[in-house]
Amino acid sequence: MRTKVAIIGAGPAGLLLGQLLNSHGIDNVILERQSPDYVLGRIRAGLLEEGTVALLDEVGCGARAHREGLVHGGIELAFGGHRHRIDMKAATGKTVMIYGQTEVTLDLMNARKAAGLTTVYEAADVSPHDFDTDHPRVSYVKDGVACEIACDFIAGCDGFHGISRASVKPSAIKTFERVYPFGWLGILSETPPVSPELIYTNHERGFSLCTMRSMRRSRYYLQCSLDDHIDQWPDERFWEELKRRLDPEAVDHLVTGPSIEKSIAPLRSFVAEPMRFGRMFLAGDAAHIVPPTGAKGLNLAASDVHYLSGALREFYDEKSSAGIDGYSQRALARVWKAVRFSWWMTSMLHKFPDQGEFGARLQLTELDYLVGSKAAATSLAENYVGLPY
Ligand code: RFL
Ligand code: PHB
């Protein structure tokens, strides 16, 4: 098989890149290790920046998001038993949209199918080769048969544990990492959200977040220990702990119910530089990870593939390699700003084992400053709704 761009990974980065390239007549094939159902079953992100929604619109996949997504103009920060609203719309003129990653993925998968583009699911032993030459290849095994794709470029959209970044020789890559000493325990339940907007809480027992997927489906997160296992968190314990961390009004409004999904995610900041190695590019979680506190992971995957698709279009249409030469620097400039923002939100809102009373007091002071200062609130809002591309 031959294609222009071989994309490894059918998560949001790979699927969106495939549609963006296709809309400019650049043919591509996606190789995905898992089955479609497995990919669709991963409950992850829930919050889209306007820029991400605009990219879905650009590839004709935004209609359901506009119909079913919930547009939010603010968030609430809770500390010391009180909630304070940050009016992001007033500060920036922009909003964010609640629309689950599973829905984004489904819409992109359906569009890909309708366009008749090739996606090889359950592709084993996917491996990029010769990307330091003008003739890269990707090998894989499908149903026990060894296969190969010859291509012009490889896009590594295969997430943090993927093969693309791991195929680069260590001397060509520099990584930056911070691992946080806690995780997020998340549950999904068929209950109405406790409040119309998201509530981020700093509490002495640890962080909590109230979010949602729709007006009938809630998503809640609790900061938990990295040693915790979901078996130790039956639903009753989860709800009890959440109530301890919420303000009294939220406790009164909280509707509990059986969880339909429960998982624990570790928190990490990670950046690999550069994001281009000859004729292979990294995009999305394959190149960087942020803690979910700023809701930036999926949105960064979208801005990466926006830059990358533009660069490849320039290469094919204008016979210019300026775009692909500048991809890494351009993408990383935006990535690092989101890394900083997510690290800052995480640092301000979580209980750290070594923070002591001094650290805890500084967190509360920072939150108090934020909700009392127009300048500080605007800075948070500007980053939260997404910095411009
Ligand atoms: P993905 O989604 O990990 O997709 C990578 C795909 O590559 C496949 N793959 C391979 N395929 C072939 N061969 C191999 N060797 C392969 N290895 C891997 C995988 O099966 C998979 O299908 O990466 P992508 O596309 O870069 O997308 C990134 C996002 O998924 C991620 O950043 C977000 O989920 C992060 N995130 C959030 N982001 C937001 O923007 N807003 C949020 O509200 C938000 N909340 C979250 C989150 C992530 C969370 N967890 C679980 C880490 C909340 C949580 C709890
Ligand atoms: C989510 O809805 O899952 C979500 C929203 C905001 C975040 C993280 C996760 O910061």
Side-chain angles (χ1 to χ4, degrees):
M1 202 182 339
R2 200 198 136 76
T3 188
K4 284 188 171 140
V5 183
I7 300 172
I8 307 179
L15 288 167
L16 181 57
L17 177 63
Q19 293 312 112
L20 286 165
L21 293 177
N22 183 57
S23 67
H24 293 282
I26 303 171
D27 65 87
N28 59 85
V29 170
I30 299 187
L31 300 171
E32 165 61 50
R33 183 168 55 185
Q34 307 288 358
S35 67
D37 284 347
Y38 184 96
V39 172
L40 284 173
R42 289 187 299 224
I43 310 291
R44 289 185 172 178
L47 191 138
L48 308 182
E49 297 171 358
E50 283 184 4
T52 304
V53 178
L55 286 171
L56 292 176
D57 286 336
E58 188 180 327
V59 296
C61 288
R64 195 162 68 98
H66 287 291
R67 244 184 359 256
E68 298 175 14
L70 303 174
V71 174
H72 285 191
I75 55 168
E76 295 200 286
L77 297 175
F79 54 98
H82 298 282
R83 272 191 262 164
H84 308 262
R85 183 169 190 265
I86 304 280
D87 190 335
M88 297 180 306
K89 179 112 194 271
T92 66
K94 291 187 183 161
T95 56
V96 292
M97 185 188 277
I98 289 288
Y99 190 65
Q101 179 165 336
T102 44
E103 311 310 313
V104 172
T105 308
L106 179 64
D107 294 344
L108 289 166
M109 269 182 180
N110 285 340
R112 189 166 178 88
K113 213 192 264 170
L117 302 173
T118 308
T119 313
V120 182
Y121 282 99
E122 295 174 285
D125 300 332
V126 175
S127 185
H129 305 280
D130 300 339
F131 44 85
D132 53 348
T133 74
D134 287 346
H135 304 285
R137 302 174 287 127
V138 183
S139 61
Y140 63 100
V141 174
K142 176 68 187 167
D143 299 329
V145 181
C147 309
E148 191 171 283
I149 302 183
C151 54
D152 297 339
F153 296 101
I154 299 170
C157 301
D158 47 352
F160 184 63
H161 299 288
I163 187 66
S164 304
R165 193 180 72 250
S167 304
V168 175
K169 61 176 189 295
S171 61
I173 198 162
K174 181 166 168 59
T175 60
F176 303 80
E177 184 169 41
R178 169 146 311 176
V179 176
Y180 300 88
F182 38 74
W184 274 23
L185 168 65
I187 70 164
L188 195 62
S189 72
E190 292 292 354
T191 51
V194 65
S195 179
E197 292 180 339
L198 274 58
I199 308 174
Y200 290 82
T201 304
N202 172 305
H203 191 275
E204 60 192 18
R205 296 182 65 87
F207 168 78
S208 71
L209 171 60
C210 304
T211 172
M212 65 198 75
R213 288 294 173 273
S214 70
M215 290 316 284
R216 290 179 312 280
R217 188 175 276 198
S218 305
R219 178 93 167 137
Y220 296 102
Y221 296 101
L222 289 177
Q223 175 181 350
C224 66
S225 162
L226 281 173
D227 300 326
D228 281 2
H229 190 271
I230 47 170
D231 298 342
Q232 297 166 273
W233 284 94
D235 293 354
E236 307 74 58
R237 181 177 172 206
F238 184 95
W239 294 120
E240 277 315 304
E241 185 59 32
L242 180 62
K243 283 181 191 163
R244 287 201 183 106
R245 299 186 193 184
L246 294 181
D247 62 276
E249 194 201 333
V251 174
D252 276 354
H253 284 89
L254 182 69
V255 181
T256 63
S259 65
I260 50 176
E261 195 265 356
K262 194 183 283 166
S263 54
I264 292 181
L267 266 66
R268 180 195 305 269
S269 300
F270 173 89
V271 183
E273 291 187 354
M275 288 169 60
R276 176 204 180 181
F277 306 91
R279 284 189 170 239
M280 180 168 79
F281 305 93
L282 301 181
D285 279 16
H288 40 73
I289 292 285
V290 286
T293 325
K296 290 288 165 240
L298 171 58
N299 293 299
L300 280 183
S303 57
D304 284 356
V305 299
H306 162 75
Y307 294 135
L308 182 54
S309 61
L312 290 168
R313 207 165 65 218
E314 215 174 297
F315 178 87
Y316 286 109
D317 291 353
E318 298 164 30
K319 313 279 175 264
S320 161
S321 59
I324 57 176
D325 291 343
Y327 165 68
S328 181
Q329 206 185 355
R330 236 183 132 192
L332 282 167
R334 190 170 193 277
V335 165
W336 271 110
K337 291 189 185 86
V339 168
R340 184 207 67 82
F341 176 67
S342 308
W343 159 83
W344 172 72
M345 287 279 280
T346 305
S347 306
M348 179 173 63
L349 290 166
H350 291 74
K351 184 179 170 70
F352 283 71
D354 57 356
Q355 71 185 21
E357 289 187 32
F358 181 78
R361 203 50 88 81
L362 281 186
Q363 287 183 330
L364 294 179
T365 304
E366 179 145 30
L367 284 160
D368 195 36
Y369 170 59
L370 257 180
V371 301
S373 155
K374 197 171 169 195
T378 302
S379 169
L380 182 150
E382 177 176 63
N383 283 276
Y384 194 89
V385 299
L387 293 172
Y389 286 9

